[in-house]
Amino acid sequence: SYELTQPPSVSVSSGQTASITCSGDKLGDKYACWYQQKPGQSPVLVIYQDSKRPSGIPERFSGSNSGNTATLTISGTQAMDEADYYCQAWDSSTGVFGTGTKVTVL
Amino acid sequence: EVQLVESGGGLVQPGGSLRLSCAASGFTFSGYWMSWVRQAPGKGLEWVANINQDGSEKYYVDSVKGRFTISRDNAKNSLYLQMNSLRAEDTAVYYCAREILGSGRWFDPWGQGTLVTVSS
């Protein structure tokens, strides 16, 4: 079955840039999206179609996808960005989520 | 406002059954694919199943095939997940989510989730 691998954790100083990777076989041939989940809350879409931001998502969130890796970048990270982040893609009509990354803002 | 509200979770014994519901409002429910996604306590997200607009196409993760059935009632703007032969590893918060199809597909929005606990 298809797998998406993320680093378990990323730490970033407030105001700096956080990059979260998502690795999967030929992931660049698929479309990737990203979800943010804060403790006790439901996931929220932050990036779709590799690099598009939904309405209401700050410009500091950006995405890319090429080769075997999709990347979520948070520029000028703020304390409110501390959360779990999950990448997601589709393989043979089934949904696949990444393993998840906990972002800690120092 | 687009809203999804799950219900039906609870405590069930191993081998038991449970039916989850998801009430949709604020959008044309019959025009969208819908999915169930679950999250075991302290764990990551796992896609469970989805269904197309008229219910003629359904897909499942391997671990629930033959035990779970997804369905919908467009007249009632509702999505369902019938869960049979439940196991301890099915313990999770179950979310329903609307699928948006474009170049790719994504989930937006998600419901608040309903907790299913399988334990004796």
Side-chain angles (χ1 to χ4, degrees), chain A residues 1 31 33 35 37 40-45 47-49 54 84 86 88 90 92-99, chain B residues 35 37 39 43-47 50 59-62 95 99 102-113:
Chain A
S1 61
Y31 283 101
C33 55
Y35 302 91
Q37 186 180 33
Q41 298 184 17
S42 302
V44 172
L45 179 73
I47 292 289
Y48 66 98
Q49 282 182 213
D84 293 328
Y86 296 90
Q88 188 258 318
W90 291 86
S92 300
S93 299
T94 59
V96 181
F97 284 95
T99 49
Chain B
S35 267
V37 177
Q39 186 171 36
K43 302 298 184 181
L45 300 171
E46 180 183 38
W47 176 83
N50 69 350
Y59 299 93
Y60 300 90
V61 69
D62 285 348
Y95 298 99
E99 290 186 26
S103 295
R105 60 204 300 174
W106 52 94
F107 304 115
D108 186 43
W110 299 56
Q112 87 289 350

Side-chain angles (χ1 to χ4, degrees), chain B residues 6-12 18-21 83 92 94 114-117:
Chain B
E6 301 92 336
S7 61
L11 175 63
V12 60
L18 210 56
R19 188 196 196 205
L20 306 184
S21 299
M83 304 185 295
Y94 285 74
T114 188
L115 176 62
V116 173
T117 302

Side-chain angles (χ1 to χ4, degrees), chain A residues 24-71:
Chain A
D25 185 49
K26 298 181 181 178
L27 180 56
D29 292 344
K30 309 176 189 295
Y31 283 101
C33 55
W34 291 88
Y35 302 91
Q36 175 193 69
Q37 186 180 33
K38 296 181 178 180
Q41 298 184 17
S42 302
V44 172
L45 179 73
V46 294
I47 292 289
Y48 66 98
Q49 282 182 213
D50 294 341
S51 59
K52 297 187 177 181
R53 277 179 297 103
S55 174
I57 299 302
E59 292 184 7
R60 63 180 179 274
F61 288 88
S62 62
S64 64
N65 185 16
S66 179
N68 295 322
T69 304
T71 303

Side-chain angles (χ1 to χ4, degrees), chain B residues 3-5 7 19-25 27-30 32 34 36 51-53 70-81 96:
Chain B
Q3 195 169 16
L4 299 170
V5 179
S7 61
R19 188 196 196 205
L20 306 184
S21 299
C22 171
S25 60
F27 65 102
T28 304
F29 179 72
S30 60
Y32 291 86
M34 297 294 296
W36 288 99
I51 186 170
N52 73 337
Q53 291 89 335
I70 189 171
S71 63
R72 64 191 297 162
D73 184 335
N74 288 338
K76 295 183 178 180
N77 290 336
S78 292
L79 176 72
Y80 305 102
L81 186 67
C96 69

